[in-house]
């Protein structure tokens, strides 16, 4: 089965570089962008299976990015990246339709597990459409 095509959205370059490498080594296709505006532009260009979205970013934060994404009517599942101080915002994102959240710093095994679960949910939604 095809691995998920992932959009990784985070303004921390070291984090995105490391996570992109780790995920690519596990067979995923990974596109990285550094803010919400770039994420929305990327979603308009091609479909992604899972977007891993940081909540705290300059230019456009994760909540605003999620709101913008919802107007595009894409089936991309969203995993929220959050620090411990932003748990309320992570729960708000889930209420808005995000699949789940991961706290930073995160272990690659936990992230991969949640990406796989989100990708499975996306495949179910695709079959319904």
């Amino acid at each position: 089965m095809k691995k998920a095509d992932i959009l990784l959205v985070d303004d921390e370059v070291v984090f995105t570089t490391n996570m992109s490498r780790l995920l690519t080594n596990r067979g995923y296709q990974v596109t990285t962008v550094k803010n919400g505006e770039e994420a929305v532009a990327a979603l308009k260009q091609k479909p992604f299976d899972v977007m891993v979205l940081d909540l705290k970013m300059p230019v456009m934060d994760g909540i605003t990015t999620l709101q913008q994404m919802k107007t595009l009517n894409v089936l991309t599942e969203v995993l929220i990246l959050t620090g411990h101080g932003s748990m309320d915002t992570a729960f708000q994102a889930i209420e808005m339709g995000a699949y789940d959240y991961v706290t930073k710093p995160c272990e690659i095994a936990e992230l991969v597990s949640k990406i796989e679960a989100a990708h499975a949910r996306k495949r179910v939604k695709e079959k319904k459409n």
Side-chain angles (χ1 to χ4, degrees):
M1 185 175 303
K2 179 186 167 294
K3 292 275 194 171
D5 194 355
I6 300 167
L7 179 59
L8 182 58
V9 188
D10 197 311
D11 61 313
E12 294 179 35
V13 176
V14 172
F15 177 81
T16 56
T17 300
N18 289 337
M19 278 300 160
S20 177
R21 182 178 42 80
L22 290 168
L23 291 168
T24 299
N25 288 343
R26 286 163 174 76
Y28 296 97
Q29 296 289 327
V30 182
T31 300
T32 61
V33 296
K34 62 183 176 289
N35 62 53
E37 285 182 351
E38 291 180 8
V40 171
L43 288 165
K44 288 178 180 177
Q45 294 299 312
K46 73 174 246 186
F48 290 91
D49 297 312
V50 179
M51 178 168 60
V52 180
L53 176 64
D54 189 24
L55 282 177
K56 292 193 174 196
M57 297 179 291
V59 183
M60 183 189 294
D61 68 12
I63 293 294
T64 306
T65 303
L66 184 58
Q67 289 169 334
Q68 292 285 318
M69 185 202 109
K70 293 298 178 182
T71 68
L72 301 176
N73 293 317
V74 294
L75 293 177
T76 304
E77 290 294 335
V78 179
L79 281 176
I80 297 296
L81 286 170
T82 184
H84 291 290
S86 311
M87 294 305 293
D88 289 343
T89 311
F91 294 135
Q92 178 187 358
I94 290 171
E95 288 174 359
M96 293 172 58
Y99 175 71
D100 204 348
Y101 69 92
V102 180
T103 55
K104 287 169 65 175
C106 61
E107 295 292 325
I108 188 65
E110 178 187 15
L111 183 59
V112 165
S113 174
K114 292 194 179 201
I115 286 170
E116 287 298 317
H119 190 207
R121 183 167 120 170
K122 180 185 183 264
R123 287 193 301 270
V124 168
K125 284 183 178 179
E126 286 174 331
K127 286 179 184 174
K128 289 181 181 178
N129 284 343

